[in-house]
Amino acid sequence: MSDSNTTDFTNPSTFILLGIPGLEAGHVWISIPFCTIYAIAILGNFTILFIVKMEPSLHEPMYYFLCMLAITDLLMSTSTIPKMLNIFWFNSREIDFSACLTQMYFIQCFSMMASGILVAMAFDRYVAICDPLRHSTILRNTVVAKIGLVVVLRAGMLLIPNPILASRWPYCRTNIIPQTYCEGIAVVKLACSDIRISSYYSLFLAFLVSGVDIFLITVSYIHILRAIFSLPTKDARLKVFRTCGSHLFVFLIFLIPPFFSILTHRFGQNVPLHFHILIANMYLLVPPMLNPIIYGVRTKQIRNRLFQLFTHKGT
């Protein structure tokens, strides 16, 4: 290839985020639900943190894990959505190369943390329902703190190779990313060298680490469901089943979009690009909004405390 037709992006200073190609004319309108979801996520998760902090009766493992999830959701949303809104509102598409890799790392990191916290929450529910007499001895505060530390270290250490490898690839094709954020696969696909190491490692993380999380959550809920159906009254079974069902729904919302995105990048040449990007964005938008509703507002203790807070202010 002649030099005149080659642009050297070996060390690009910036990447260009296109937003949602094909729907540029509707970016302002698309920003309205994005901004609304972000506002609900911020308000909901901060509310969860405030109520758990202020109410001593909620200082239990279940609510500690819920606070960890709320913090993760806040960080996940804030690391991506403000830049998306800048693209939609001000057409601010440039992102610094190092900032792009940093965003890519933190998105993956917070996603893996959230997955680990969901495993911990499933284990907490399993012990509470299947072995309630030992719940307080198994999940002591020190154990909860250690689980939280393991979740953070696992994500932080396992994902460090991704931005390091991405920073070493030569980018001689283009610096344009057809996305609203620096999605890992989209960034790596711009490299013009052999990226099999990065691809294999990403597959290892996606199918082994995430696979282990899915397996553990599935096993926990199978045991929980068995315990539910052994409960003596229909009302008790229905109450526990509704709670666990909503938790499983959130987990599926958390799980399906990223796997859809991975499969679309590899096999979905006929999938419209804007549809793929919207699905990939749902993975970042919807769980942080739904988690405080499903895990928080639908939890009786938090709902009652929230009601007391508003009635006290009204009085």
Side-chain angles (χ1 to χ4, degrees), residues 66-112:
L66 183 57
C67 286
M68 293 179 196
L69 187 63
I71 292 170
T72 304
D73 286 340
L74 286 169
L75 293 172
M76 169 83 83
S77 299
T78 305
S79 68
T80 54
I81 299 179
K83 180 58 183 177
M84 294 180 191
L85 295 177
N86 263 323
I87 295 170
F88 295 151
W89 290 340
F90 309 114
N91 203 32
S92 176
R93 300 182 175 186
E94 289 192 358
I95 183 169
D96 188 75
F97 177 72
S98 59
C100 185
L101 296 188
T102 302
Q103 186 189 58
M104 179 187 79
Y105 171 74
F106 279 122
I107 290 171
Q108 295 172 344
C109 197
F110 296 142
S111 299
M112 189 177 287

Side-chain angles (χ1 to χ4, degrees), residues 47-48 51-52 55 57-58 63 239 295-312:
T47 301
I48 294 293
I51 289 176
V52 173
E55 181 55 50
S57 66
L58 299 181
Y63 302 105
K239 180 181 177 182
Y295 291 113
V297 177
R298 290 193 54 153
T299 302
K300 183 179 178 181
Q301 293 89 331
I302 291 181
R303 189 170 62 247
N304 289 345
R305 187 67 182 87
L306 189 61
F307 179 73
Q308 290 171 9
L309 186 67
F310 281 112
T311 53
H312 177 69

Side-chain angles (χ1 to χ4, degrees), residues 103-273:
Q103 186 189 58
M104 179 187 79
Y105 171 74
F106 279 122
I107 290 171
Q108 295 172 344
C109 197
F110 296 142
S111 299
M112 189 177 287
M113 285 182 194
S115 178
I117 294 167
L118 290 174
V119 173
M121 294 176 77
F123 177 67
D124 171 69
R125 291 300 84 206
Y126 161 73
V127 176
I129 293 170
C130 300
D131 197 0
L133 296 178
R134 298 180 58 205
H135 182 261
S136 59
T137 57
I138 292 174
L139 284 168
R140 302 184 306 276
N141 287 347
T142 53
V143 173
V144 171
K146 288 176 183 177
I147 291 173
L149 182 61
V150 168
V151 166
V152 172
L153 291 177
R154 182 187 73 155
M157 295 177 69
L158 286 177
L159 289 164
I160 283 177
N162 281 346
I164 293 175
L165 289 171
S167 67
R168 294 176 179 273
W169 304 131
Y171 296 88
C172 56
R173 293 193 181 105
T174 181
N175 65 341
I176 296 174
I177 303 173
Q179 252 294 6
T180 57
Y181 63 93
C182 291
E183 186 184 25
I185 300 174
V187 172
V188 172
K189 283 178 70 174
L190 298 181
C192 57
S193 63
D194 188 351
I195 58 170
R196 281 180 296 179
I197 295 175
S198 185
S199 297
Y200 292 152
Y201 189 68
S202 296
L203 287 173
F204 161 77
L205 293 177
F207 289 101
L208 185 61
V209 178
S210 299
V212 169
D213 288 353
I214 294 167
F215 173 76
L216 292 174
I217 290 174
T218 303
V219 169
S220 296
Y221 277 104
I222 286 173
H223 285 288
I224 289 171
L225 290 173
R226 287 174 59 188
I228 289 172
F229 290 118
S230 67
L231 292 173
T233 64
K234 184 179 178 180
D235 288 342
R237 288 197 298 270
L238 213 60
K239 180 181 177 182
V240 180
F241 185 77
R242 278 200 301 264
T243 301
C244 293
S246 59
H247 291 187
L248 283 173
F249 172 73
V250 169
F251 180 67
L252 289 175
I253 292 293
F254 175 82
L255 180 69
I256 292 172
F259 272 95
F260 176 85
S261 181
I262 291 170
L263 293 174
T264 302
H265 270 295
R266 299 192 178 279
F267 310 110
Q269 287 77 17
N270 296 323
V271 177
L273 181 59

Side-chain angles (χ1 to χ4, degrees), residues 20-36:
I20 306 177
L23 298 178
E24 290 90 349
H27 272 180
V28 173
W29 295 107
I30 293 170
S31 72
I32 295 173
F34 275 53
C35 187
T36 303

